[in-house]
Structures are given as structure tokens and as C-alpha cells.
Amino acid sequence: MNINEIKYRDQVIRTYIKNRNWDKNNEFLLKQKLLLNSDQLLPKYPFVVEDEWEVEFGRSDSGLGDLIFTDGNGNFAVVEIKYIDKLNSGDTASNRRTKKRQKVREQSVKYANIYRENNFVKSIKAFIFTNENSEPIKIKKVIENGKLILK
């Protein structure tokens, strides 16, 4: 992807998400917040190049990634966005939140690896953005005893 295509994609995606006023679900509002404030929240990656991208080309049933940012020099950030319901209480609600947090972490790493395999990238980082944090959280991958552990 050359810099002209990157800038074009950035302009189209930003305009679309900024002006999309009919979708008021919590997860979309988080995405909109991240995109409108990305210069402060992800300053190393000034361009957004993917929105709701197919993890496997032509197979939306295999998953859709949320956003991908780039610095324009081959460095990318895959960001998965999830809204965590903090209002419900009890063991079941707590377990659901824990599972959702783990799932979004796993998705961000999985999707970053798939994007890296299918595109020319110098580096790729996985991030999550939820309503529980004021900024995207970088996911660290650690391999212990041959098993991938997310931190």
C-alpha cells in the first residue's frame, strides 16, 4: 500500500465514521471515540486503513477485525474494540466480563498475526480498546513452556 492509498483510505474511513450518526450502539461509539481522538490515543499510527475488515478474505463468517492503523512506513496497529457491560452484577455477570476481556485480547493477537501473514508489514502491534480504559492497551505476547500467554 503506497502513501497515496493510505491517505485516501484514512480520509474515507474517518469521514464515514465521523458522520455516521444512525448507529448509536456502545461498541460503535467507542470506535468513533477512538478514531476521532486517534492523534492523542495512537499518535504513532496517524492513518487508519481498515474498518470492519475480513480476517479471511471473502469469509466474513470467520471474523471481522475492527480497525487497523499505520504510520505509513510499514508499521501497523490492529485494534479490537469491545464494550464491557459494567452495570450488571453477580457471579454470572462477572464471569461474562472476564470472558469478554479474554476474548478481545485473543482476537487482537490472532487478527494481528493474520494481517501480518497476508500483508507486507515491518511490524505489527495488537491493541484492545474498551470502555474500561481511557486509551488503547497494547497486548504483550509471552510464550511460556511453548504456550502463548497474553498479558
Side-chain angles (χ1 to χ4, degrees):
M1 200 177 319
N2 67 42
I3 193 67
N4 291 330
E5 182 180 356
I6 289 169
K7 288 179 179 179
Y8 177 74
R9 285 176 175 226
D10 180 76
Q11 187 268 325
V12 169
I13 294 168
R14 284 181 191 280
T15 300
Y16 174 71
I17 291 177
K18 177 183 176 187
N19 295 326
R20 187 171 153 184
N21 59 8
W22 61 89
D23 194 350
K24 298 297 182 186
N25 75 62
N26 291 324
E27 201 161 297
F28 174 77
L29 294 174
L30 274 173
K31 179 189 282 189
Q32 196 174 52
K33 176 183 175 181
L34 173 60
L35 202 60
L36 294 175
N37 298 290
S38 64
D39 56 335
Q40 291 109 27
L41 298 174
L42 284 171
K44 292 182 180 180
Y45 305 96
F47 306 106
V48 61
V49 293
E50 299 284 357
D51 171 42
E52 295 297 317
W53 59 283
E54 291 179 332
V55 176
E56 286 186 47
F57 183 73
R59 301 261 339 252
S60 60
D61 61 317
S62 294
L64 294 174
D66 291 321
L67 293 171
I68 298 181
F69 292 83
T70 185
D71 65 356
N73 294 309
N75 302 300
F76 291 82
V78 171
V79 182
E80 282 304 300
I81 300 165
K82 287 286 183 268
Y83 180 81
I84 310 291
D85 181 1
K86 299 184 291 186
L87 298 178
N88 288 331
S89 61
D91 290 343
T92 302
S94 177
N95 288 338
R96 256 189 304 221
R97 285 191 294 271
T98 300
K99 286 179 182 176
K100 199 166 192 178
R101 286 182 197 106
Q102 184 62 25
K103 181 180 179 182
V104 71
R105 294 167 76 84
E106 290 170 359
Q107 278 180 313
S108 68
V109 172
K110 176 183 175 185
Y111 292 177
N113 285 328
I114 290 170
Y115 194 81
R116 180 182 44 80
E117 290 169 3
N118 295 325
N119 297 277
F120 173 75
V121 299
K122 286 184 191 173
S123 73
I124 193 155
K125 306 285 188 227
F127 291 83
I128 61 169
F129 186 58
T130 72
N131 53 305
E132 294 181 316
N133 303 96
S134 60
E135 60 187 38
I137 305 297
K138 183 176 163 187
I139 303 302
K140 297 176 183 168
K141 299 179 283 184
V142 177
I143 297 178
E144 292 178 7
N145 299 325
K147 184 176 179 184
L148 178 66
I149 298 170
L150 308 176
K151 295 191 174 189

